[in-house]
Amino acid sequence: MDRYARQRGLVAQDLVADAVVEVHGTGPALPYLLQCLALVGAGTRHGGIRLHVPDRVVEEADLAHQFLLDRADAGRPLAEALIDRVELLNPTVDLRTADHGSARTRGRGLGVAVPGAAERPALVAALGADPAIVAWGEVLPTAVYVGPAPLRAGTGGHPTLLTAALAATCGGLLAQVLLGQLGAIIDGPTVLSRWFEERLWIAYPDIGRHAMAAEAEGALAPALRGVLERFDSPRVAERFQILLDGRTADPRVTTVVDHDAVVVTVPAPQASMTGAAVRPGLADPPPVRPLLWSPVDGPTLDGGTVTGMAAAPVPPRTPPRVVLCGAGALGSWAAAVLAASGLPGLDLSIVDMDDTVESHNLNRQVLFDDADVGLPKAAQAMARLGKINPRLALRALPVMVSPETIEDLVGGGTQYELLADDPRWRAYREQVDQLAGALKDATAILSCPDNHQTRWSLNVIAERLGIPLVNGAVDGFVGRVHVCDPGDRGRCLVCWLGESIADEPERRSCTDVVGTAPVPSIVTSAAVIGAAQAATLLAQLGGPASRVRRFHAFDGLAGTLDGYRAADRDPDECPAHLVGAGPDGREAR
Ligand SMILES: [Zn+2]
C-alpha cells in the first residue's frame, strides 16, 4: 500500500480496490484510461477491470498515439497485450477480458465507453441507452468529450497531432469520473488538511514547525514510536515532538511520507484527544455532466453536438526543441504524451535534480514501473521515452534551475565560471553549459516543477529568450495550465500568479486556489494537466498562437476542465515580463 500513500486522504482506497469497472471499446483513450485505473489502484482487491474489446490482434493504429503497448506487441492478441502491459504497470490489478469475469463480479460494474471511429456506430447502437455506462469518452480532431451519453454524431476519427494529448486528457477525465461514481472521493480534504495545519504540528529544533498532511482513515495505526525508529539516529528521535493545540500529544503517526510531510491517522471520533470529532465523509456520486475541452478556441458543445471544430495544428517547419523542467508526476505525463504524439523532429531536454525512483512515485509518475525503483530517475525516464519514440532527440540534464542560476543559463555566466577549473565541479559545470545551450536554441519551455522559485526562474528565462512557457500545476483534484507567450503578448506567469512566487522556496504547487497545506498527489490530476500541457504546447507550436487558449482550469470534484483565451498582458504592468522587453518597450524575439 506504500504505492498509494500519497493519494490516501483524497480517495477511499478500499472502494477503489474493490471497484468493478467494465471498459468498452478500443478508441484512442483506452490505453490512457487503463493506465490511470491501474495507477490509482482500481480492482486490486475484491474488484477488477473487465475489458470488452473485439477478438483481434494489435494493429499499427493501436500502437500510434499511446505508450502502454509496445512495438513488440504488434500481431499479438489485443486483449492479451493490454493485460500484460497493465500488469507490468501494476501487478496487483485484476484485469481480464469480460468473458472471463467471474460470476461474482459480472454485470455489477461501472461501465465506461471509449469508442474508436470504426466501431462507434455499433457501440452507440448497443450501449447508447444503457444506464450501466456511466461515461463516454470521445477524442475529436482538436477537442475531447466526456459525458453521460455519446455525442449525437461522430466528428471524424482521423488522427491529428493532438490525438495522443487529447486521448490522455480523456483517459484522466474518465478515471476521475469513475472515482466520483464509486463514491471514493473523500469530501473536504482541504478542510481536513487545514484543520491539521492549524492544530497539529511536528516540532523539531533545527527544522522548525511543520504542518502535517492528513490521512483520512479510521483504523488505529502503529504508535508514534514506529515512526521515530525510522529517523536515522536516536538523538533525532529524542528531539522530535508532536504538538496538538500547543501541547505534546500522541496521535497515531503511521509513516514518514516525504521529507516535508508526515501522515497522521486520527481515529474518529477523537473526543479524548481534541474535544472535536474529525470525520471525513465520502462524497456522494456527483452527476456526470457533459464536458468538452480544447486547447484552442472554436469547439463548442451544443446539446450533444460539437460545432466550430478548429483545424488541427500541423508540424512546424523547423523541428521544435522543447526544454521540460521537472520529471515528477506532471512532467512524466507531459513528456510521455509528447513522445507519443509523433511530432516530427522533436528534440526534448529533461531537466530534473531528483536522484532515484521511489515506490511512492509509482502511483502517478507514469514513466516508471516496479523494476525502476531505486534506479536513477533521469536515466530511466530517458530510456522509457526513447522506447516510446525512438526518433526523439533526448537528453537528461540534472541541473537546478533557480534564481541563482539564471545568469549562468541565459546571461553571461558568473557563478560557475569561478569553479570551472575545480575538477569536483567540472561535471556539473558541463551540465549547466549543456542546459544553457539547449535553452539558447529552445522553441518553448514546459514548466512542471514542484516549487515556485523554479517556476519564477523559468518565467524569467522564457521572457529573456522571448519564447513560450507552458506551465502546469496540480494540487489534489485541482489543476491549472498557463500558456505564457511573449510573442503573442500573453500574460507571463508572474502576471498570473503574482511577484511573490519569487520568494517562496517551499515545495508547493501553484494552483492559486488551495491553501498551503500539503495535499496528496493523484494520477488523474497529473494525467489531465500533464496531457493538457502537451496539447496546448502542440497547439502553440503547430498553429497560430492567436487561437491558443492561455488558461485552463481543472476541478476534478466538480468534473470540469475549462479553457479560456484570456486577455493580453499589460505591457507596463509587471516587472517580470519587462525583463524581456526591448528598449522601446517591444517584446524581444
Ligand atoms: Zn508579466
Side-chain angles (χ1 to χ4, degrees), residues 2 12 19 39 41 55 76 107 125 144 149 163 175 223 264 296 330 373 379 484 517 533 542:
D2 189 31
L39 291 172
D55 186 13
R76 295 181 65 201
V144 57
T163 297
V264 179
V296 293
L330 271 186
V373 171
C484 307
Q533 270 186 284

Side-chain angles (χ1 to χ4, degrees), residues 299-551:
T300 310
L301 190 61
D302 183 7
T305 304
V306 178
T307 59
M309 185 60 65
V314 294
R317 257 172 283 144
T318 315
R321 304 174 71 91
V322 174
V323 174
L324 183 154
C325 191
L330 271 186
S332 56
W333 276 96
V337 167
L338 271 184
S341 71
L343 179 60
L346 177 62
D347 178 296
L348 191 58
S349 299
I350 308 274
V351 185
D352 195 292
M353 278 297 277
D354 260 5
D355 36 8
T356 56
V357 178
E358 294 173 50
S359 175
H360 67 71
N361 295 153
L362 296 179
N363 72 30
R364 61 203 191 283
Q365 300 189 7
V366 75
L367 287 176
F368 312 115
D369 58 37
D370 285 282
D372 296 318
V373 171
L375 295 173
K377 204 177 231 184
Q380 295 311 106
M382 287 301 101
R384 183 70 206 286
L385 289 167
K387 277 195 85 177
I388 294 170
N389 184 345
R391 294 174 313 248
L392 284 181
L394 285 166
R395 72 191 62 74
L397 297 168
V399 175
M400 186 72 169
V401 176
S402 67
E404 292 75 31
T405 48
I406 290 174
E407 286 307 314
D408 287 292
L409 293 171
V410 290
T414 51
Q415 191 179 1
Y416 294 100
E417 209 61 59
L418 302 168
L419 303 167
D421 295 331
D422 186 331
R424 287 168 303 174
W425 284 92
R426 190 167 294 143
Y428 187 65
R429 173 74 227 187
E430 280 168 17
Q431 306 275 16
V432 171
D433 285 345
Q434 272 196 51
L435 177 54
L439 284 168
K440 189 161 75 62
D441 299 331
T443 320
I445 295 175
L446 266 179
S447 159
C448 319
D450 60 4
N451 69 87
H452 270 341
Q453 282 197 334
T454 299
R455 290 178 203 282
W456 182 86
S457 307
L458 291 170
N459 186 57
V460 170
I461 289 169
E463 288 293 324
R464 285 251 193 113
L465 297 171
I467 59 175
L469 173 87
V470 179
N471 178 65
V474 289
D475 213 341
F477 291 120
V478 171
R480 296 283 183 265
V481 174
H482 303 94
V483 181
C484 307
D485 181 4
D488 183 43
R489 311 196 72 80
R491 303 176 75 185
C492 86
L493 199 56
V494 169
C495 298
W496 283 110
L497 298 173
E499 181 66 17
S500 67
I501 64 169
D503 305 317
E504 295 175 15
E506 305 101 282
R507 294 178 62 167
R508 183 185 298 178
S509 70
C510 65
T511 46
D512 70 37
V513 286
V514 176
T516 55
V519 174
S521 303
I522 189 151
V523 64
T524 47
S525 302
V528 169
I529 294 299
Q533 270 186 284
T536 47
L537 176 75
L538 289 165
Q540 179 78 35
L541 294 174
S546 58
R547 270 182 31 206
V548 175
R549 289 173 174 164
R550 293 161 171 164
F551 177 63

Side-chain angles (χ1 to χ4, degrees), residues 245-267:
D245 287 347
R247 283 171 288 125
T248 307
D250 182 22
R252 302 293 183 264
V253 181
T254 57
T255 179
V256 175
V257 170
D258 206 335
H259 65 267
D260 61 357
V262 175
V263 168
V264 179
T265 300
V266 177

